[in-house]
Each structure stands twice: as C-alpha cells, then as structure tokens.
Amino acid sequence: MRPIRPGDRGPAVTEIRGVLTGLDLLPSAPTGDDDEFDAATERAVRAFQQSRGLSVDGRVGAETWCALDAARWRLGARTLYHAVPEPLIGEDVRSLQERLLEMGYDVGRADAIYGVRTSRAVAQFQREMGLKPDGSCGPYTMGALRRLGRKVVGGRPQWLRESDAIRQAGPALVGRTVVIDPGHGGTDPGVVVPDGPLRWTESDLVHDLASRLEGRFAASGVRVQLTRGPAPGSCLPDVERAQLANSLGADVFISLHTDGHANPEAEGVATYHYGTDNGVTSATGERLAGLVQREIVARTGLRDCRTHAKTWDLLRLTRMPAVRVEVGYLTSPADRGLLVDPRFRDRIVEAIVAAVQRMYFPVERDVPTGSIDVSELRAAVAAGRVATA
C-alpha cells in the first residue's frame, strides 16, 4: 500500500484518526477536518510509532497500519482463540502473551499473534486452574488471570528459558543453521547514492556483505541460507523473509542494511532486536544485538549508534535470535568511503561471525570483544575434518 502522508485526505485518514483518538493520542474533539492528515495527526502517528517500536516517520505504511488495526483491541474485549488459517492478531493478544510470560508459561515471543503456542499455554493455565482446557481466552479465563500474580520471580522468565536453550546447545558453531538476509533487492534498491561516475546502492553492497558472510560461516561448519540472490525480480516482503527463516528451522537470523539520511554528517552502525517499550524482548536477540554492535565498533571504528528494540515484522515474526544491522550510512562520505572497500567489508563480516560465536559461549566463559580470530574457527573445523577422514 502507498503510505498515507500528511496532507492526504479520505476515509482511511478518518479511520486512522479514530484509532488514535481511542488511544488518547488525539483529542476527542476534532482538531481539523476528520478526513485530513494534519499536523496534529502526524504528531499522534509519530507518538504511536515510537510507543510501538516502529520506524518513526509520521507516515502510515503497511506496518504502521497493521499496528494501528491491532491497537483497537483491549484484553477482555473479545474472546481469543486459535483461528485457522487466519489467526487473531491484536494488542489484546500481546497483553495476554505478556501476562502469561510473567506467570511462567511458555508462549514463545510476545508477537501479538494467537497461534498454536499461545493456545497451548492458555490450555495449560486453564488445566491448572480447573477450567476447561480449550485454549481459548474468554470471561472465565480472564477472571482467573486477574486473580493471580506472577509465578516467576528473580529474573525475566523468557530470558531464563532462552538462555537455557542456548546453554544446552553447546558452544560449537558446527552444524548450526544461519539465515542471512540482504535487505531490499529487485525493484527496491534501498539507499542509492551517486558518486561521480559511480552509483552505489544499498541492495548491491549488502548482498556482497551477505555473500562474504556466507563464505565465512560455511568455512566454520555452519549451514547458510540467503533470503535472496544478487538480482531478484522483485523485493521479498519482510513477512516472507521471516517465514523462510522459520521454515528452515534457523538458529540465527541476520538482516543486513545500510542507512541513509538527508544530513551527510549522519554516520555510524546500529543494531536492532525485537522488543517493546514495556520491557518485553527477545532475550537472546538482545544479547546477540549487543555482541554484534560491540564487535563491529571494535573492529571497524564506525561510530557507535548503539542497539535498539523494535517491533518490525522481520524481528517480531522470526522464532530464533534475530538482528537487523545497519552497517553505516551510505549517504555519509566517511562511511561510504569505508563501505566500498572490500577489505573493510571483510572486517564487518569477521565481527558478525565472532559475535555469533560469542552468543553460544556461556556468559561466564565469554571472551573480550575483538579477541576472537575467525581464521582459527575455520582452522579448527578443517582440523576436525582431517582427523575424521
């Protein structure tokens, strides 16, 4: 869908304003024409995007529209159940998932989708409360939820669960599956910057990065899948990229991008993981994002723009530790001068491999940032093959 922007008019704008009013982001009394995307509506949209962990641009694109549609629902306003093939989606589902997580039930990621895992967690709760374990959340189940407090104390339950899964997996990379996602592609080149007779595009640079990363991981014994080739006919939507990673049973998902800004002085690297403004997060995704960010900054000298929690579909719908890395600003002459150097891209690749390896180390056995020699990982794999030949 074409993003709805300031200055637009029509029934869609009226609907957007109605949702924002219901969320107390717009006054109930009209601030202008009901079908006008005015300055007050833009401010409300930006506030909504900020609170939901979306890209804050003041426009209503597909992802913001879906988030607005989901925000209509409050927990208890409707009966929730596992619907096939179109599951129920809404802010009420997310609230239920977060409540169950606080109580120690395993719903996976609080993704606002009432899927099989959420239904099973509700059924387990119902069974323990002496209710009919049908996996749906109606008035009786809601009443039981309101009467109970947290069951897990002394730490975030999802953090404990995910950390234990990583610990049990062991420290070796051999045999793991990593999905690498070069952003954009096809009809969407991403950031495009003319540079004299040259024309640098985000989609080309990140595919080169992904190909180099594929080679490094494969040499370390990792199974690797890219979400696209160098010249796809169309741009794969983020939802389908997440579905591909889930269908492959990936252990790690890494999405590669470069950034862009009207101000050429904007520069640096930032890494994103799934999370919301109320503290619900993918625990292993958050740790991986921190490791990737620190390794890249230490090995490349790029400005540290830190890690951030977002609810983008790409991060919300993947079921494994997932990060999106913005490896510099293509619109910055300084960053661009580095990114177009193949040797510099190799340093970024080595930083990401080292970060993934560190994620599988127990916290008490972690090593200093920048200390892992990726070539030693390859040598260890090669030695193992020789020994078993």
Side-chain angles (χ1 to χ4, degrees), residues 123-299:
Q124 181 184 352
F125 169 76
Q126 291 169 324
R127 199 175 296 112
E128 293 178 1
M129 294 301 297
L131 301 172
K132 181 182 178 181
D134 59 5
S136 63
C137 183
Y140 292 109
T141 302
M142 278 302 307
L145 282 168
R146 292 189 180 103
R147 290 194 298 269
L148 291 182
R150 292 180 55 152
K151 293 172 64 176
V152 177
V153 295
R156 291 179 293 177
Q158 191 64 8
W159 167 266
L160 299 174
R161 190 177 291 113
E162 292 184 12
S163 298
D164 185 61
I166 290 291
R167 181 182 293 273
Q168 291 185 18
L173 288 181
V174 176
R176 304 198 187 280
T177 300
V178 174
V179 171
I180 305 170
D181 173 46
H184 306 280
T187 56
D188 177 14
V191 180
V192 179
V193 178
D195 186 11
L198 302 175
R199 178 177 178 269
W200 302 106
T201 66
E202 176 181 3
S203 58
D204 289 342
L205 280 172
V206 296
H207 185 270
D208 178 83
L209 264 175
S211 299
R212 293 169 186 268
L213 189 54
E214 178 185 24
R216 296 294 196 287
F217 271 129
S220 301
V222 175
R223 295 188 292 267
V224 185
Q225 175 71 49
L226 268 61
T227 60
R228 69 170 176 89
S234 60
C235 182
L236 195 67
D238 284 352
V239 171
E240 293 184 24
R241 296 176 196 241
Q243 289 173 345
L244 174 62
N246 292 338
S247 68
L248 292 170
D251 297 293
V252 176
F253 180 88
I254 300 168
S255 185
L256 300 171
H257 291 255
T258 62
D259 216 331
H261 198 276
N263 184 349
E265 294 185 4
E267 60 182 32
V269 56
T271 309
Y272 301 86
H273 61 90
Y274 174 74
T276 64
D277 61 348
N278 60 0
V280 174
T281 186
S282 165
T284 50
E286 183 179 9
R287 183 174 182 228
L288 177 59
L291 292 170
V292 167
Q293 183 70 13
R294 293 196 297 274
E295 287 286 348
I296 291 179
V297 169
R299 293 170 186 258

Side-chain angles (χ1 to χ4, degrees), residues 83-151:
V84 179
E86 295 294 333
L88 297 180
I89 299 174
E91 204 62 29
D92 52 347
V93 179
R94 188 197 305 277
S95 297
L96 173 63
Q97 291 170 327
E98 293 172 357
R99 183 84 170 91
L100 290 168
L101 283 170
E102 287 178 350
M103 297 171 66
Y105 294 96
D106 183 10
V107 301
R109 190 166 297 176
D111 57 8
I113 301 172
Y114 204 99
V116 173
R117 205 162 173 179
T118 300
S119 179
R120 288 174 179 168
V122 170
Q124 181 184 352
F125 169 76
Q126 291 169 324
R127 199 175 296 112
E128 293 178 1
M129 294 301 297
L131 301 172
K132 181 182 178 181
D134 59 5
S136 63
C137 183
Y140 292 109
T141 302
M142 278 302 307
L145 282 168
R146 292 189 180 103
R147 290 194 298 269
L148 291 182
R150 292 180 55 152
K151 293 172 64 176

